């Protein structure tokens, strides 16, 4: 089959090119490159302070790099401001953090539905979809998220990340506060999302066993992302 028969490859959901960023005379990124396609998972490892979380913050537009390009579904993040940037975060990117970052006084349902309502979803539709996601992820009903276990808390955070059908999911140490059993379940859930929902996943982790589940594993060192051999380390 010729290239003309297959058609052009789809644009990546995330494309980072020649990214530069320094802080306090320390270089975190120096010509960093990364491209992630729909349906693909990428795990990023590296020592504390190497810039892994800073990279995710740059993709979210929370940190402005000193040079280079960050495109999410074709939109140049470094040029977006105000409402445009907020809309991109709300409608295109889902985020999962180490401690979930849920509102503890709200129920799991309210936490998830709130993300839909903030993106202007109708109330009934937002709550209906939120309940469907929580049921799918086996999150029990509770008056507040403080009643949930660690794993249930993170599944609620995943539901919130999925509520607006994002094309890119960013996860920053999502299993870092969980016990081994909950870690395995949350890791399985997250790495299954690109296949089931045709989104891209970028996950930052110190856990080599979690990283080994990804389609690609990269290590952030000396300002660049380089291939990491975590599978061999896990098998050894």
């Amino acid at each position: 089959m010729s290239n003309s028969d297959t058609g052009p490859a789809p644009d990546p959901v995330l494309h980072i090119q020649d990214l530069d960023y320094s802080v306090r005379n320390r270089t975190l990124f120096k010509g960093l490159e990364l491209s992630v396609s729909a349906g693909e998972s990428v795990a990023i490892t590296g020592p504390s302070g190497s810039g892994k979380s800073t990279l995710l913050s740059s993709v979210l537009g929370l940190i402005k790099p000193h040079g280079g390009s960050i495109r999410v579904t074709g939109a140049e993040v470094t040029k977006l401001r105000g409402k445009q940037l907020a809309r991109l975060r709300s409608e295109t990117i889902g985020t999962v953090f180490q401690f979930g970052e849920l509102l503890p006084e709200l129920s799991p349902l309210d936490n998830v539905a709130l993300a839909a309502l903030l993106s202007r979803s109708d109330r009934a539709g937002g709550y209906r979809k939120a309940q469907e996601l929580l049921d799918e992820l086996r999150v029990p009903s509770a008056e507040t998220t403080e009643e949930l276990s660690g794993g249930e808390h993170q599944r609620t955070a995943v539901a919130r990340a999925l509520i607006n059908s994002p094309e890119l999911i960013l996860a920053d140490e999502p299993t870092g506060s969980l016990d081994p059993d909950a870690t395995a379940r949350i890791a399985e859930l997250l790495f299954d999302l690109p296949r089931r929902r045709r989104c891209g996943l970028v996950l930052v982790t110190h856990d080599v066993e979690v990283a080994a589940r990804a389609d690609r594993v990269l290590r952030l060192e000396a300002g660049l992302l380089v291939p990491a051999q975590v599978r061999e380390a896990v098998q050894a």
Side-chain angles (χ1 to χ4, degrees):
M1 184 178 292
S2 68
N3 290 337
S4 60
D5 293 327
T6 60
D11 291 335
V13 293
L14 173 63
H15 185 65
I16 301 175
Q17 188 172 15
D18 203 24
L19 197 68
D20 293 334
Y21 184 70
S22 299
V23 59
R24 292 189 291 275
N25 298 320
R26 185 164 60 95
T27 298
L28 293 182
F29 314 137
K30 188 174 183 179
L32 183 145
E33 308 268 341
L34 176 63
S35 187
V36 182
S37 300
E40 181 183 24
S41 62
V42 175
I44 298 177
T45 67
S48 297
S50 60
K52 303 183 299 299
S53 295
T54 300
L55 180 60
L56 298 190
S57 293
S58 298
V59 175
L60 287 166
L62 299 173
I63 291 175
K64 183 175 176 58
H66 298 145
S69 170
I70 302 173
R71 290 187 174 272
V72 175
T73 61
E76 179 56 63
V77 174
T78 63
K79 298 186 183 306
L80 297 180
R81 298 290 184 274
K83 292 182 179 180
Q84 289 181 319
L85 184 55
R87 186 175 301 115
L88 180 76
R89 293 175 189 151
S90 174
E91 299 178 359
T92 308
I93 305 174
T95 55
V96 183
F97 298 100
Q98 179 173 352
F99 299 106
E101 303 298 331
L102 301 175
L103 296 174
E105 68 275 14
L106 297 184
S107 68
L109 180 60
D110 286 335
N111 265 284
V112 177
L114 180 61
L117 300 180
L118 290 175
S119 68
R120 302 180 208 173
S121 174
D122 69 281
R123 183 178 178 84
Y127 269 89
R128 182 173 60 252
K129 185 174 182 181
Q131 188 62 64
E132 290 171 354
L133 282 168
L134 291 169
D135 290 343
E136 179 185 345
L137 299 181
R138 302 189 306 280
V139 177
S141 297
E143 290 188 7
T144 71
T145 57
E146 292 179 315
E147 301 172 33
L148 303 178
S149 69
E152 292 165 349
H153 195 275
Q154 285 301 76
R155 292 203 299 273
T156 303
V158 173
R160 184 189 58 188
L162 294 174
I163 189 69
N164 293 321
S165 302
E167 296 179 66
L168 175 66
I169 295 176
L170 305 177
D172 192 356
E173 295 286 359
T175 62
S177 61
L178 303 179
D179 62 50
D181 288 342
T183 290
R185 289 193 294 270
I186 292 298
E188 181 178 7
L189 169 63
L190 285 169
F191 285 113
D192 194 42
L193 293 176
R195 178 185 62 81
R196 294 179 58 235
R197 296 181 178 270
R198 297 303 299 169
C199 58
L201 169 66
V202 179
L203 184 146
V204 162
T205 183
H206 282 99
D207 190 324
V208 294
E209 293 189 4
V210 170
R213 295 173 179 263
D215 297 322
R216 285 191 289 144
V217 184
L218 304 174
R219 181 175 175 83
L220 181 54
E221 58 183 43
L224 298 172
L225 287 171
V226 298
Q229 305 300 324
V230 300
R231 288 178 177 82
E232 288 80 353
V234 170
Q235 291 170 354

